[in-house]
Amino acid sequence: MNNIDNLIENLNKEQKEAVLSTEGPNLIVAGAGSGKTRVLTTRLIHIINEKKAWPNQILCVTFTNKAAKEMQNRVMQYVKGSSNAVPWLGTFHSISVKFLRRHAEALGYKSNFTILDTDDQKKLIRNIVKGEDLDAKKFSPQLIMYHIDQWKNKGLLPNEVKIEKSGSIIKSILKVYKIYQDKTKDLNAFDFGDLILFCVKLFEDHGDIREIYQKNFKYILVDEFQDTNFIQNKWLNLLVNKNENICCVGDDDQSIYSWRGAEIKNFLDFDKIYKNTKIFRLEENYRSSQNILSVASNLIANNQNRVGKTLKTNLNDGEMVKLNCFKNGKDEAVGLSDEIEKNLKNKYSLNNITILVRAIFQTREFEERFLKIGLPYRIIGGTKFYDRAEIKDCISYLRLIHQNKDDLAFERVVNNPKRSIGESSIKQIHEFAKKNNLCLESSSKKLIELNLIKPKAKIGLNSFLNLLEKWRGDLTIKKINHVKLLQIILDESGYSAILKNKKDLENENRLENIKELLSAMKEFDNLESFIEHVALATSIDQDWDGQKINLMTMHASKGLEFDVVFLPGWEEGLFPHQKSIEEKGENGLEEERRLAYVGITRAKKLAYISFSMNRFYQGDWIDSMASRFIEELPEKNIEKNSFFDEKENLDNDFEFNQDFEFEESTRSPGWIRYQKRIK
């Protein structure tokens, strides 16, 4: 028996069937931890080994370069004679580049075209906005790029975009889009969105070219099919030949990227597009204990729009999933850290313990707690709370108000948001300060007084200095508290308006982070004590050697696995997220449930779900209601308890607001709901 035979024999029954059924349209519904990549790779090796096709006659599409590289390396172990085992194995973008290099002339481009990165795009858009005399604050590059990406994901060039009942903003953005596409063509350049879109246009408009590739690709294999968007799916459909030998692998229950354009419809309608589709379900999980799988399966079964499967394992039942209720978010951070310290630290590697949050601002309370007790941690796919740009901006404003000689803070915010104070003006302020032994603020005042600075920069700088004086008066004369002061600063500086006008996920996260900062500030008596706290928190040596607890969003966790997973903040409005439900209704709710499924199935041995009865949000205590998802967890697989008893909770060193009375008569809905469940 050769190595390839061994490879196939080591598969389970369902995996083997999915590998050997090579002909016609196939949909492999692969549950979490079911060996999806192994099946896809083995299928590819099998096709080549059986001489059903030469390696260059197989199109194999992955979602990341890392996945493509790993698959190539795996295939090369079994397919000899080539340094690049499967030439047409790669991401949608990398394969599209190969198509376009060969056929650029058919689209009116040269084959040596440039691929624009994000910075190139921003620069080009800024120039267009300036040239069209549009308000740069209103028409930010991020906002325009967001809309352009949306149109391109739907396969729309500027002349194909239809605007119905939209305001002048969208019309103006569409005008920028048209000019942008004209400019990129003049530059002989494509952006990332163009790579797939222009391939589709190439195949639609040039049937002879399309036919070449349809005849060449005897088999098409696609990984992570549930994450494809409209234009990627169209790209695939155009390349399928009359034999319809297309095999797509994925998990509809892990479709969590609609905000990036992914359409679960592609997965659910696959058998409608390809009538003779064979569906294979990989339901045996090799990662998690049965209790974890039962909880995940029970939860996701509440979704209507799914192909359907039930995960099982040959592993033992394992420990029940822990469900915990806390008084507030701070208690949740304490409880979680106590569980790690008391029960988990000596049993599991910290590298194999993770905390998965719905929104990135949630990491703050955990970070503060871990810093306080010395538990090392890392943020995966993000930045530590006090290192985030918007947080540093806010703190720089506060530092400058507190201390006018804080030159580092001055330099960070003097032109943030933009006040027409360019680099040459800032350099002039620096040089004058050095020459006259002044701080930057005093140097600026003197330059204005002597009329030595450019007129436009002078107006912006004078406005900024007047605001600083006003805010200092708010603090010292009007006795406005430091929390309210930051809100005033953000409004009067125009900082919050900039974030609110740029309606994309990144800026929504920034706004959430600032709201969390306002909550954190409420815990301190005055501005000085808060600034001191931040300085100490950020100066603590966080580069501990060795192991670290992982903190990340559920979105960032997809594809990863850990021995122990904590899932805090399961409260209505936070998870499922209110915005998702408001914008997408039932579809939004189902995607949030899929996100919960992804979170739970990251756990191999232990999973902890928790919620708080109260959250400190934007300076106020807010009653929380336990997430509706908690009601959907199966009782027989859940252990309801608390990490510490009531007395320990009240006596811990990370005390919650003592002004907050917690009387039996005023129990929150979340508490009442929890009590009903445990009785």
Side-chain angles (χ1 to χ4, degrees), residues 7-116:
L7 196 64
I8 294 171
E9 281 306 309
N10 287 330
L11 301 173
N12 67 36
K13 180 175 174 263
E14 290 76 17
Q15 290 175 330
K16 198 180 291 183
E17 286 175 359
V19 165
L20 298 177
S21 178
T22 56
E23 307 310 299
N26 291 177
L27 183 67
I28 302 174
V29 185
S34 64
K36 162 180 73 65
T37 304
R38 185 184 182 191
V39 166
L40 191 67
T41 308
T42 307
R43 184 184 174 99
L44 177 57
I45 293 166
H46 173 67
I47 289 170
I48 297 169
N49 184 58
E50 292 296 308
K51 296 186 170 52
K52 291 176 177 291
W54 295 107
N56 69 348
Q57 293 175 316
I58 304 168
L59 174 65
C60 188
V61 189
T62 65
F63 256 78
T64 64
N65 290 315
K66 182 177 177 235
K69 190 176 179 181
E70 286 174 358
M71 197 173 286
Q72 281 284 17
N73 291 338
R74 184 82 168 142
V75 172
M76 282 170 64
Q77 293 176 22
Y78 296 90
V79 180
K80 307 298 180 186
S82 174
S83 59
N84 187 21
V86 184
W88 293 99
L89 192 164
T91 64
F92 280 101
H93 291 101
S94 66
I95 294 169
S96 292
V97 170
K98 290 177 76 170
F99 288 140
L100 293 174
R101 292 281 183 217
R102 291 184 175 193
H103 307 287
E105 285 79 6
L107 294 163
Y109 289 79
K110 294 178 181 174
S111 60
N112 65 341
F113 57 80
T114 304
I115 300 170
L116 303 179

Side-chain angles (χ1 to χ4, degrees), residues 494-509:
Y495 195 99
S496 54
I498 294 282
L499 292 182
K500 287 172 184 173
N501 287 338
K502 298 175 187 174
K503 294 192 178 197
D504 58 32
L505 188 68
E506 188 181 348
N507 283 298
E508 284 170 15
N509 286 337

